[in-house]
Amino acid sequence: MSRRLRDYLLVLTLLLGVWQLLAQQLGDPLLPTPQAVLQALVREWSSGALAHHLLATLRRVLIAFVIALLLGTLLGWAMGRSAGANRVLDPLLVLLLNLPALVLIILLYVWMGLVEAAAVLAVVLNKIPNVAVILREGVRSLDPELEQMARIYRFPLRRRVFDLWLPQLFPFLMAATRGGLALIWKIVLVVELLGRSDGVGFQLHLAFQVFDVAAILAYSLSFIVIVQAIEWCLLQPLERRARRWQRLGQGSGAHV
Amino acid sequence: MFELQLTAKAYAGRPVLGALRLQLSPGQRLALLGPSGIGKSTLLNIVAGLDTEFSGTRRCAAELRIGYLFQEPRLLPWRTVAQNLRLVGAEPQRIDALLGEVGLPDVADLYPRQLSLGMARRVALARALAFDPDLLLLDEPTASLDGDTADAMRTLLTGVLQRRPELALVLVSHDPRDAERLTGQQLTLAAAAPRPPLERAGITTK
Ligand SMILES: Nc1ncnc2c1ncn2[C@@H]1O[C@H](COP(=O)(O)OP(=O)(O)OP(=O)(O)O)[C@@H](O)[C@H]1O
Ligand SMILES: [Mg+2]
């Protein structure tokens, strides 16, 4: 653990060093030095703009993520459980998977206007097929023997959900979450760039118009830090807790 | 309290079990013996009501409680032993007594993977008992255990049954010693003619 952190910091420092050297050599405002980016960061932070726009983006990411995860899970559930549902929904899924995010965003803005609902819906629709495909696999891999056990002992629905299904689907939900956050925040930036007046994407748009590379880097790096923080402070501890039974069981188990 | 009138059971057109009639009343203990692959687990799944794809009829009260010791323990690996018992309705204060009864007083906080097969099977037995069953189904309770452990399991089961005179039992096993120790009524699932021994097994209770 501490070794991983050390390597991480080492790579980061190295990258910073290379960047610093390159920027100094070039002396071009289109590649600002790390200090310049830091200054932009401090400037945006003290004006309150950074926090405002980061929060706007984070809010969209979380709302879209939660909705997509819920709907995608339900869809994946239906498709994994019923061959009929799978036959009907699969073409739709393939269509959505192959539809470029940009097309969906533009269409929804055109149809619904440049409103928040259109923005979130565009992100949700982009993410749902992803979640559904992952969860369909998860649902198909549910253990039928444990299912029989739960029937014999008359597990009520609540217990089936929390004690039988969720633990088995956990790795799949985790995969959907990891891939989801990364994908969603990138789409949210596009959505903001095209039709919102706040958020990191909107700020990037402004900075792009005046070629303010320092601001572009300041905003995107801050959001990367936030996504990384979610991974470290939320997802990894959750995963460690949920996988406790596997760690404890290693080596001593006499059967699978 | 329970009646099964089986005409035939086939998997995808391949016959596995032939005609068979089973009638159980409270406290009755029945053993079905037969070699591997003859259809013992298949029959228990039908008795348990898990498998409804057979020709024949199965009659029992909807509230009949069945405890099923599957051939594999089928504990939830992500829940501790105590939690596994809680999940079938055992009150917290009963858990120690149940684990004590199966000779495992110290495993409440372990995960199933930390148990040996014999221990896991006993926990699964404790779970079946925690359910307060009227009918207990045992599928090969001593298979894959070494001689002494298998004997200990038989002794344990004998005690469990003696303490619950109303509990009906259907045991399936390939080992006649299980049947002798645990039941008064033994039937052999015989492969009926013609040849392929796995294809037709038919018995009737008299
Ligand atoms: N789900 C299934 N689909 C198709 N065939 C099956 C299925 N389950 C069992 N069989 C077949 O039915 C026959 C009986 O299987 P079963 O598991 O009931 O045997 P068994 O008597 O319990 O054997 P063992 O003592 O090894 O547990 C076997 O030939 C097996 O191949
Ligand atoms: Mg079997």
Side-chain angles (χ1 to χ4, degrees):
Chain A
M1 187 61 215
S2 69
R3 188 154 142 233
R4 244 181 50 208
L5 191 69
R6 209 187 54 206
D7 290 352
Y8 191 88
L9 288 178
L10 198 76
V11 170
L12 221 61
T13 322
L14 233 99
L15 221 72
L16 261 172
V18 172
W19 174 10
Q20 169 79 32
L21 264 169
L22 213 70
Q24 266 173 3
Q25 288 302 310
L26 289 176
D28 186 331
L30 294 187
L31 181 61
T33 57
Q35 288 98 309
V37 172
L38 193 68
Q39 273 160 18
L41 197 72
V42 171
R43 188 190 66 223
E44 294 295 311
W45 175 259
S46 41
S47 77
L50 185 69
H52 172 71
H53 293 291
L54 281 181
L55 279 176
T57 298
L58 192 63
R59 221 188 88 226
R60 285 188 190 109
V61 168
L62 291 183
I63 292 177
F65 170 75
V66 168
I67 299 178
L69 197 70
L70 276 174
L71 294 182
T73 301
L74 288 178
L75 201 65
W77 180 267
M79 296 177 73
R81 282 262 147 162
S82 134
N86 191 43
R87 261 198 314 280
V88 174
L89 295 171
D90 196 55
L92 204 71
L93 212 65
V94 173
L95 185 85
L96 270 178
L97 271 173
N98 285 312
L99 193 66
L102 195 55
V103 174
L104 204 60
I105 295 167
I106 292 174
L107 283 179
L108 284 173
Y109 273 151
V110 169
W111 289 334
M112 299 172 65
L114 297 180
V115 294
E116 186 70 22
V120 171
L121 186 62
V123 181
V124 168
L125 284 179
N126 266 300
K127 180 56 193 162
I128 280 183
N130 250 293
V131 178
V133 167
I134 297 175
L135 265 291
R136 176 174 59 183
E137 282 321 300
V139 168
R140 282 179 180 161
S141 71
L142 288 176
D143 186 347
E145 300 198 330
L146 291 180
E147 208 75 28
Q148 288 188 327
M149 184 278 292
R151 268 175 68 197
I152 283 289
Y153 293 117
R154 301 180 188 170
F155 279 31
L157 185 65
R158 189 175 47 82
R159 282 192 184 151
R160 275 177 215 237
V161 171
F162 290 104
D163 298 285
L164 186 64
W165 294 331
L166 276 183
Q168 291 183 76
L169 293 179
F170 183 80
F172 297 88
L173 286 169
M174 218 54 198
T177 301
R178 287 236 162 80
L181 280 181
L183 182 77
I184 282 183
W185 93 265
K186 287 167 196 165
I187 301 177
V188 165
L189 291 199
V190 180
V191 167
E192 289 172 345
L193 188 142
L194 286 178
R196 297 276 76 209
S197 49
D198 57 1
V200 175
F202 172 72
Q203 286 301 100
L204 291 182
H205 185 51
L206 290 187
F208 171 55
Q209 282 172 341
V210 294
F211 280 24
D212 185 352
V213 180
I216 292 179
L217 289 176
Y219 271 97
S220 28
L221 287 179
S222 329
F223 210 80
I224 291 176
V225 169
I226 289 186
V227 173
Q228 193 59 250
I230 293 178
E231 168 76 23
W232 279 346
C233 305
L234 219 72
L235 299 186
Q236 284 185 7
L238 189 72
E239 190 154 32
R240 266 199 298 283
R241 241 198 65 189
R243 289 189 188 281
R244 213 173 95 84
W245 62 275
Q246 283 173 329
R247 279 204 319 282
L248 287 176
Q250 255 161 30
S252 60
H255 65 279
V256 191
Chain B
M1 73 177 190
F2 178 90
E3 187 181 344
L4 174 71
Q5 186 109 39
L6 179 68
T7 327
K9 163 72 190 171
Y11 281 118
R14 207 169 61 84
V16 177
L17 292 166
L20 175 142
R21 214 170 76 90
L22 261 185
Q23 242 178 331
L24 293 167
S25 42
Q28 190 174 357
R29 274 102 207 242
L30 174 68
L32 298 165
L33 291 168
S36 179
I38 197 100
K40 300 186 296 293
S41 299
T42 304
L43 180 60
L44 274 195
N45 280 339
I46 291 174
V47 171
L50 291 173
D51 184 351
T52 51
E53 293 178 355
F54 63 93
S55 46
T57 52
R58 174 183 178 274
R59 259 198 299 271
C60 68
E63 58 273 15
L64 181 79
R65 295 173 77 81
I66 297 178
Y68 191 168
L69 187 66
F70 297 93
Q71 201 162 344
E72 327 75 33
R74 298 196 194 180
L75 299 166
L76 294 177
W78 40 83
R79 294 286 178 265
T80 63
V81 165
Q83 287 167 339
N84 265 283
L85 298 191
R86 291 290 309 277
L87 280 169
V88 305
E91 301 81 14
Q93 63 274 17
R94 263 184 79 202
I95 286 175
D96 283 341
L98 283 161
L99 289 175
E101 182 168 12
V102 298
L104 295 172
D106 302 319
V107 303
D109 295 326
L110 296 185
Y111 285 90
R113 290 222 174 152
Q114 296 172 286
L115 307 173
S116 71
L117 173 62
M119 291 160 85
R121 199 173 279 164
R122 280 184 279 162
V123 170
L125 175 65
R127 177 177 64 184
L129 298 175
F131 191 57
D132 286 325
D134 308 308
L135 168 61
L136 181 63
L137 307 178
L138 301 178
D139 192 346
E140 304 268 14
T142 62
S144 334
L145 300 180
D146 66 60
D148 291 344
T149 318
D151 256 343
M153 187 72 181
R154 284 182 203 111
T155 309
L156 174 68
L157 283 168
T158 312
V160 164
L161 292 171
Q162 268 168 6
R163 282 186 290 275
R164 293 172 181 75
E166 286 299 292
L167 179 62
L169 170 76
V170 178
L171 159 81
V172 304
S173 176
H174 67 278
D175 191 335
R177 283 172 293 182
D178 294 347
E180 277 155 28
R181 292 277 303 272
L182 300 176
T183 65
Q185 213 178 353
Q186 297 158 31
L187 294 159
T188 304
L189 279 169
R195 254 191 300 104
L198 305 183
E199 296 221 326
R200 288 186 59 79
I203 64 151
T204 45
T205 59
K206 54 153 191 297

